[in-house]
Amino acid sequence: MIKGAIFDVDGTLLDSMYAWDSVCTDYLIGRGIEPREGLWETFKTLSLAEAARYYQTEYNISDDTQKIMDDINAIIERHYKFDVQPKKGVREFLELMKARNIEMSVATATDRHLIEYAFSRCALGGYFSEIFTCTSVGRGKDSSVIFDAAAKHMRTLPHQTLVFEDALYAAVTAKKAGYVVIGVYDSHESRADELKKIADRYITSFEEAGVLLD
């Protein structure tokens, strides 16, 4: 029996990946540094703190980790304040989950204040009992720490807990840790076919997600 659900945000609940497409390179270009090709593919698996440390070690950025994180957040902050929107069917599905008394929490690599900007504007925050970030737990989603923290908070076991993810690497982590993985289509995940194969269920839109609760 499903008792809880953990949701990724970017590319899952929010159609927001466009805001991240160029931020990692924009940061370097703004400092007069030429970014290496394929940088976003590397950053997809990192928390914001890990990304900041990557800049320090790989690009010899001398600013401290918090300053780098602040500068990156400043680039994308306006998107979360003013632009990003929920994916189709998200609010209706969350209402359905709420009606079924399934507790919900968030596990995201994006810093909390950015998520709160978007959730407040889009009226989504009230559905979730807590927001867990990779920064707050100190690990990226290549580790199950963030999912385990969310499940512990909700007092649910992995096999009782849905994990909604659009990113293959994060879905693989959750699957290995015993969670029930719901793959969510997003055009920014180039390995969507692989995600579909490893997920327990796969949806192309939250408009079709109601069947998950049948």
Side-chain angles (χ1 to χ4, degrees), residues 2-211:
I2 296 300
K3 296 183 178 181
I6 302 170
F7 291 83
D8 172 56
V9 177
D10 297 296
T12 299
L13 292 175
L14 296 180
D15 187 12
S16 54
M17 291 306 296
Y18 70 89
W20 293 95
D21 273 350
S22 62
V23 66
C24 57
T25 55
D26 288 347
Y27 170 80
L28 292 173
I29 292 170
R31 298 182 64 104
I33 300 171
E34 182 67 26
R36 302 184 194 107
E37 189 173 344
L39 187 60
W40 171 236
E41 288 300 316
T42 298
F43 273 51
K44 282 171 64 176
T45 65
L46 304 179
S47 70
L48 195 56
E50 290 169 335
R53 289 191 287 271
Y54 184 89
Y55 281 133
Q56 291 170 329
T57 58
E58 298 297 323
Y59 288 92
N60 297 315
I61 303 296
S62 60
D63 291 346
D64 63 36
T65 302
Q66 189 59 54
K67 175 64 164 60
I68 296 172
M69 291 168 62
D70 290 344
D71 289 346
I72 294 171
N73 276 329
I75 296 172
I76 63 169
E77 189 172 279
R78 70 174 186 85
H79 293 293
Y80 287 84
K81 281 185 173 180
F82 305 113
D83 300 336
V84 299
Q85 295 293 327
K87 284 189 165 183
K88 290 182 178 180
V90 162
R91 191 174 288 105
E92 293 80 2
F93 181 68
L94 295 179
E95 278 290 340
L96 180 60
M97 296 281 278
K98 181 179 178 180
R100 300 287 183 91
N101 295 314
I102 297 174
E103 187 167 0
M104 295 174 279
S105 60
V106 162
T108 176
T110 300
D111 270 9
R112 185 186 184 107
H113 73 284
L114 296 175
I115 299 302
E116 288 179 339
Y117 285 146
F119 277 10
S120 176
R121 177 172 49 79
C122 299
L124 296 181
Y127 294 105
F128 305 104
S129 60
E130 188 54 272
I131 296 172
F132 294 87
T133 71
C134 290
T135 297
S136 68
V137 303
R139 292 294 300 271
K141 289 186 179 179
D142 55 344
S143 162
S144 68
V145 168
I146 192 168
F147 302 120
D148 296 339
K152 182 178 180 180
H153 166 78
M154 297 188 299
R155 298 182 180 179
T156 62
L157 298 173
H159 72 273
Q160 301 169 324
T161 311
L162 302 176
V163 171
F164 290 80
E165 274 286 352
D166 69 299
L168 174 63
Y169 83 98
V172 168
T173 299
K175 180 76 172 180
K176 288 181 178 178
Y179 293 91
V180 182
V181 174
I182 311 300
V184 181
Y185 172 77
D186 189 81
S187 62
H188 290 80
E189 176 51 76
S190 60
R191 296 182 292 173
D193 287 343
E194 294 178 59
L195 173 60
K196 189 173 185 179
K197 289 177 182 177
I198 71 101
D200 294 284
R201 299 287 294 272
Y202 185 83
I203 59 173
T204 58
S205 167
F206 277 94
E207 292 176 310
E208 65 187 51
V211 298

